[in-house]
Amino acid sequence: MATRAIKQRTARCMGRNVAALLFALFATTPSMTQAAVESVAPVKLWCDGEAGGCTYPTDIEAAKAVELTYNSRYAATNPYHAYLVIVSCNGGGLCLYHFVNDLWTTVDGPLYLRRVLGCPIPMINPAIPYTYKYASGMCEREAQCPAPNTINPATGQCVPPEILTITLEGGTTTEPGTSLPFIATIKNQDNQPPKTPVTVKISLKVDSTSGGHDHGDNTRPRGGIANVGTCPSDATCWSEPSPANNGVVVFNFNAPEAAGTHTITATCEGCSNAATKAVDVKVNGIEPIPNFPYYALVETNGDVIGATDLHSNNHNLLPAAAGVLMRIAVNYHFHPKLRVLDWKTNTMVLPPPLHINDASLVWGGKFDIKGKWTGSHAEHMRGTSVDLRANENVGAIPPELFEEFDKRLMKIIPGDVTAEKFLRECSPNEKPSESNPNPVQHNRRPENYCVSQVDGSFDANRHYHVRLLGE
Amino acid sequence: MKILLNCIIAILLALVARPGVAGLLPGEGIVRDPVTGNYTATYVEEGEDGKDWIEKADFETATKIDPTVRSKFRHAEGWNTGYAYTINNGNAAKQAINNFDLDGLPINVVLLNTTPLLGSGKVVLEEFFDSAMTSPSEKWSGSGARNGQALNIGWLCRGWDHTTKSHNTASGIQPGESASGFGFTSPDLPGVFVAKLTGNTRYHHFSFSGPGPNPYRSDIGKEMAKIANNDFIPRDVAAPLIIVPDVFNAAIVLDRIRAHVATWAGRQLVNPAFAAQLDRYLVAAAEAYRLNNPKAGKEHLETLRRMLAKEHHNVDHDDEDDDDGEERKHATRFSIDRLAARVLDFDLRYMLKRMEHEHKESEHKKGRD
């Protein structure tokens, strides 16, 4: 009787398995759907033959359920105290049973289990089951993990959304015209990278009057980020998604030629903060030219020589260059071959102290004389060059001393080449502009003492440009 | 056919006109005038509005001279050496020589009679060399300075004309003329040095209207700097290169002479075989003095002197010029340059005399003890 019952059960299982296999689909991980519905893919489950008994993820579990049900249902009531033992299952629904009674009669035989597609038991609130929906082909129930929370697929737990923070690492100073690397790192509240790629946005600002540029304005070059040469505004200049889940974006800050303080700001989609980093674009080591009795940095009326409203602090050099300038000043003032004629007394007298015009701005960098962030004067960037007055103003080196002064410069200035240690400079030819499309090209040349080749007028800008360190 | 020919010519011209230097911007280039030898450069200059403009600059070379420099060096009082130079400008020259520079001497070379400029606390603010340097005339001025790397000295013939208030390009040693009287005295011994001579031009740079291209950052600027920096005529002269220490030590001085002589083969002043022989004896002499064997040292030095005498006539005549007599020129194969031989012979004679003196001093001291 018992044997027959088992055989019938196994036969039913076999027949149903065919239908179940036809209905089979691959299981998927749970995901959130819209309108607060929690939806999971159906999974294959093994049945124990009871109503609502297709709930077992493995065949051995289903078989053990059969064993338990049978023994509790029949063993106590049958006269032979027969009981059933499941010996093994092959994972495909074929199990081996061992049937024994108290008459020591044993029967071994196969037990065939069926498998159907069904809804898994929810891990969160398992008392609220999924219901299979034909329309979607999914198992659904009212969401137990409402947005913005999400279910962690690994743990099945409903977790709150990631709270992302961004940090910015990189240097704080760089030289004009160079690149400085930065790393933006995004982490969540667990100090882990974000689980999905996040777009990082970088913007760049510049303190418009920093670096000695008193004329600061909103056209001031900010520099660039990564492959963007110049950021045109304070808005986002460059953005990039962090590569797959590592939360790190690397980029360069491309410093402009003008020195100053720049602020790099990094944000990201979903970040709770903005990371900023201030970078001083400057030539390191530049210092104010020290006072010295044999050169003059100010006029007798107290005005700083060469200073303008655009750049009021124009007397800065590297200390080594300032040392050479001092030697040049001492030589100029005391060298016995460098004497000037005093017309009042008709005697040769010591020349006045050298009058020092533009050197470098406080942090070096581009010295845009006209305050337009462009133009030459390029060699005044590094704290190594200085202009010495050589026109017809008070304190200027007179033309009759040019040759001897040239010789002194060649001997004193370091370097093994001679010709490029200094230049005598005149005003450059004026370039056409909208307001003056055809300017007069005076073409003032140093060998002609900066006298116009057009009308013979003298160039009041004549000066020595001295490369104090030989470069 | 004519059109095709014109096309070919145009392509060839375009190829020829291409700047020969990598990194030049469009429109930039340097052209040498084959007649005058001067250069004209076109270069890009950034205007104040950030736009680029083509500018032009000329360079008048200062090498249209034909200099010969004769070096004299003789023992002066107190173990010093007097150096003197006579410069001749050949008839073929087109410029007057107005610059004679010995730039790049060892920084610790001493010149006698420099004038220290003292600051507060008697700190030497500057050392003026003009008082240590003699010149042919008032028009010439000698000057020098140590620039942290080397001692640079030189003479300039001033060209400023007070009447016209401009530079007189005729000042200096005219073609076909000579000037002597360039000199100084030093305790340091002579070696063979390359002097730089230039002709009188109004300006030894490219004459830019404005600052010109940067000689260190712009490629055209670098090329222009190269031209300007090499704008001189080099000539071998005797100059103080062997530093004699305050406390005389023969082995150290001989080591220094040897180190200097070792550079001569590379400068084609001596052939390698002869250089090797010189080196062998200089090493042996230094070693002998180091081992306190002055007799052997003296023998090695005398051997060296005999080797030099074999190669050149009157090598021990300090006031001789650097030319051998005609008969000698034809008779002698090249083994060592005459100036180099004279310089080395002078140094060896100095060593022999000095060691003899040291020996006598030592004997005298022993006698007193």
Side-chain angles (χ1 to χ4, degrees):
Chain A
M1 156 60 193
T3 310
R4 195 184 311 133
I6 291 168
K7 282 182 178 172
Q8 285 171 351
R9 185 184 295 268
T10 54
R12 279 203 305 274
C13 283
M14 284 176 69
R16 285 172 192 168
N17 272 346
V18 175
L21 286 170
L22 291 173
F23 192 60
L25 286 170
F26 291 107
T28 58
T29 54
S31 66
M32 289 298 299
T33 59
Q34 299 295 315
V37 171
E38 185 184 331
S39 170
V40 294
V43 293
K44 290 175 186 172
L45 296 169
W46 294 99
C47 304
D48 64 359
E50 302 294 323
C54 296
T55 58
Y56 301 98
T58 61
D59 55 358
I60 189 72
E61 287 176 80
K64 284 292 180 186
V66 169
E67 178 191 290
L68 184 65
T69 306
Y70 181 86
N71 289 339
S72 61
R73 190 176 290 165
Y74 301 111
T77 56
N78 79 59
Y80 306 108
H81 301 286
Y83 60 92
L84 184 69
V85 177
I86 296 297
V87 177
S88 64
C89 292
N90 70 350
L94 173 58
C95 301
L96 189 65
Y97 70 81
H98 183 68
F99 186 75
V100 62
N101 63 25
D102 57 359
L103 296 177
W104 301 105
T105 305
T106 61
V107 178
D108 290 335
L111 171 65
Y112 297 99
L113 299 175
R114 77 182 175 105
R115 186 163 59 165
V116 298
L117 272 178
C119 291
I121 297 168
M123 297 183 78
I124 300 164
N125 295 342
I128 303 171
Y130 292 116
T131 306
Y132 183 77
K133 301 287 183 186
Y134 285 98
S136 62
M138 299 292 281
C139 299
E140 296 178 359
R141 66 173 182 170
E142 189 178 336
Q144 303 297 298
C145 187
N149 299 336
T150 55
I151 293 173
N152 183 326
T155 63
Q157 289 182 323
C158 181
V159 292
E162 285 192 299
I163 300 168
L164 302 178
T165 52
I166 188 166
T167 55
L168 198 52
E169 290 175 81
T172 54
T173 63
T174 190
E175 298 236 334
T178 61
S179 289
L180 186 66
F182 279 89
I183 302 172
T185 307
I186 304 164
K187 289 195 171 167
N188 62 19
Q189 64 271 41
D190 299 324
N191 205 30
Q192 296 298 315
K195 294 182 174 63
T196 54
V198 174
T199 297
V200 173
K201 299 174 179 177
I202 308 295
S203 60
L204 195 52
K205 289 182 183 172
V206 58
D207 177 348
S208 62
T209 57
S210 58
H213 294 275
D214 304 319
H215 57 94
D217 57 45
N218 61 7
T219 65
R220 176 171 182 155
R222 292 167 177 77
I225 299 291
N227 57 350
V228 179
T230 303
C231 297
S233 73
D234 290 352
T236 297
C237 173
W238 179 82
S239 62
E240 185 166 277
S242 67
N245 294 356
N246 77 354
V248 171
V249 167
V250 179
F251 62 91
N252 277 343
F253 162 54
N254 307 318
E257 296 272 273
T261 301
H262 296 248
T263 305
I264 300 167
T265 302
T267 58
C268 80
E269 289 170 351
C271 278
S272 60
N273 70 320
T276 61
K277 199 92 179 172
V279 179
D280 289 337
V281 175
K282 63 191 286 193
V283 177
N284 286 320
I286 288 184
E287 294 177 5
I289 300 175
N291 288 320
F292 193 59
Y294 307 116
Y295 54 63
L297 298 168
V298 293
E299 308 278 12
T300 48
N301 65 4
D303 289 348
V304 176
I305 298 169
T308 64
D309 291 344
L310 305 174
H311 307 100
S312 58
N313 187 347
N314 61 334
H315 287 148
N316 305 281
L317 286 173
L318 292 176
V324 176
L325 177 63
M326 287 176 177
R327 282 194 67 190
I328 291 170
V330 165
N331 268 270
Y332 177 68
H333 197 67
F334 290 107
H335 197 279
K337 299 283 168 49
L338 291 165
R339 296 284 181 268
V340 290
L341 183 65
D342 181 350
W343 294 101
K344 290 176 190 165
T345 60
N346 201 30
T347 54
M348 302 302 279
V349 296
L350 295 177
L354 279 178
H355 276 46
I356 311 296
N357 208 308
D358 288 343
S360 287
L361 297 178
V362 62
W363 283 355
K366 188 154 202 124
F367 196 151
D368 54 331
I369 301 175
K370 294 193 175 174
K372 294 180 178 174
W373 311 109
T374 56
S376 47
H377 223 34
E379 290 184 40
H380 290 262
M381 286 180 67
R382 307 202 53 80
T384 57
S385 293
V386 71
D387 287 346
L388 306 177
R389 181 178 286 176
N391 51 16
E392 293 182 333
N393 292 350
V394 173
I397 304 163
E400 61 266 33
L401 296 188
F402 281 0
E403 275 185 301
E404 281 285 359
F405 189 63
D406 288 359
K407 197 82 171 171
R408 303 300 311 149
L409 292 178
M410 286 186 192
K411 301 300 177 200
I412 292 169
I413 294 172
D416 57 356
V417 294
T418 54
E420 298 304 321
K421 291 179 176 178
F422 67 92
L423 289 172
R424 292 200 294 266
E425 284 186 7
C426 318
S427 290
N429 280 329
E430 196 176 344
K431 311 294 187 290
S433 64
E434 281 183 17
S435 58
N436 187 8
N438 297 305
V440 178
Q441 301 292 299
H442 288 280
N443 205 22
R444 296 184 168 103
R445 310 284 281 261
E447 75 273 27
N448 293 327
Y449 300 92
C450 298
V451 170
S452 166
Q453 293 180 31
V454 176
D455 58 14
S457 60
F458 174 69
D459 175 19
N461 188 41
R462 187 176 68 194
H463 62 270
Y464 268 84
H465 172 77
V466 184
R467 298 167 179 136
L468 294 163
L469 298 182
E471 59 182 60
Chain B
M1 186 64 187
K2 198 176 175 184
I3 293 171
L4 182 67
L5 264 177
N6 284 343
C7 284
I8 292 169
I9 290 167
I11 291 166
L12 285 173
L13 281 174
L15 288 173
V16 169
R18 279 182 60 172
V21 184
L24 297 190
L25 301 172
E28 288 188 332
I30 302 172
V31 177
R32 182 175 180 273
D33 183 328
V35 178
T36 64
N38 297 332
Y39 293 88
T40 300
T42 48
Y43 60 95
V44 171
E45 188 173 84
E46 185 189 358
E48 295 299 336
D49 57 359
K51 283 183 189 167
D52 289 339
W53 298 90
I54 296 283
E55 288 286 356
K56 197 186 264 190
D58 303 321
F59 183 80
E60 183 188 0
T61 54
T63 51
K64 296 158 197 161
I65 55 176
D66 180 21
T68 309
V69 184
R70 293 177 177 178
S71 304
K72 295 179 184 177
F73 35 97
R74 57 172 75 178
H75 294 291
E77 198 180 336
W79 299 110
N80 292 310
T81 302
Y83 294 83
Y85 307 97
T86 299
I87 302 172
N88 175 261
N89 196 6
N91 286 319
K94 290 176 183 167
Q95 289 169 330
I97 296 171
N98 76 333
N99 257 303
F100 174 47
D101 287 319
L102 302 176
D103 287 344
L105 294 171
I107 191 162
N108 47 353
V109 160
V110 172
L111 261 58
L112 298 188
N113 303 322
T114 59
T115 310
L117 175 69
L118 299 177
S120 60
K122 307 236 169 168
V123 176
V124 177
L125 284 179
E126 191 58 74
E127 181 185 15
F128 292 134
F129 286 79
D130 58 301
S131 54
M133 298 164 70
T134 59
S135 301
S137 70
E138 267 296 300
K139 288 220 79 173
W140 284 88
S141 108
S143 62
R146 300 180 203 276
N147 69 0
Q149 300 160 339
L151 168 64
N152 300 325
I153 61 173
W155 289 264
L156 160 78
C157 183
R158 288 186 290 270
W160 178 258
D161 187 324
H162 286 278
T163 317
T164 61
K165 294 201 169 173
S166 63
H167 184 90
N168 175 12
T169 53
S171 65
I173 305 167
Q174 303 302 316
E177 292 184 358
S178 295
S180 53
F182 303 98
F184 53 84
T185 304
S186 168
D188 300 315
L189 292 172
V192 181
F193 189 69
V194 179
K196 296 175 180 178
L197 296 106
T198 51
N200 191 342
T201 62
R202 287 183 298 168
Y203 190 55
H204 291 281
H205 304 265
F206 272 89
S207 65
F208 310 112
S209 177
N214 187 307
Y216 304 99
R217 297 174 75 188
S218 119
D219 286 315
I220 187 86
K222 285 178 195 168
E223 289 305 310
M224 292 160 93
K226 210 182 284 176
I227 289 170
N229 285 327
N230 290 316
D231 186 48
F232 62 85
I233 300 288
R235 287 290 180 264
D236 284 339
V237 298
L241 294 176
I242 316 295
I243 309 293
V244 178
D246 290 341
V247 179
F248 184 77
N249 181 316
I252 288 176
V253 178
L254 280 168
D255 284 343
R256 289 174 181 170
I257 292 171
R258 182 194 167 217
H260 175 65
V261 169
T263 66
W264 287 357
R267 295 161 61 188
Q268 278 83 49
L269 293 171
V270 62
N271 75 29
F274 197 70
Q277 289 181 51
L278 294 178
D279 190 67
R280 205 174 310 131
Y281 282 106
L282 283 168
V283 168
E287 201 53 29
Y289 284 115
R290 200 168 280 121
L291 297 173
N292 204 19
N293 185 356
K295 196 179 166 196
K298 186 180 173 189
E299 280 171 13
H300 290 309
L301 296 184
E302 283 173 345
T303 305
L304 279 164
R305 288 199 63 210
R306 280 195 296 275
M307 286 166 61
L308 295 170
K310 250 192 225 172
E311 301 300 319
H312 287 283
H313 185 56
N314 290 340
V315 75
D316 57 347
H317 288 201
D318 299 334
D319 286 352
E320 274 289 321
D321 60 38
D322 299 329
D323 289 330
D324 278 317
E326 281 303 310
E327 78 287 353
R328 190 79 180 179
K329 264 184 193 169
H330 295 299
T332 313
R333 72 202 182 286
F334 173 78
S335 55
I336 184 167
D337 172 80
R338 180 170 174 80
L339 174 64
R342 284 178 55 218
V343 161
L344 180 55
D345 186 72
F346 179 90
D347 293 345
L348 298 176
R349 273 186 286 143
Y350 175 96
M351 292 301 299
L352 289 167
K353 279 185 195 169
R354 186 85 191 243
M355 285 313 297
E356 194 181 330
H357 172 80
E358 299 283 320
H359 179 69
K360 276 183 189 165
E361 284 284 298
S362 159
E363 291 296 310
H364 183 63
K365 200 176 169 191
K366 274 184 197 165
R368 275 191 313 193
D369 292 344

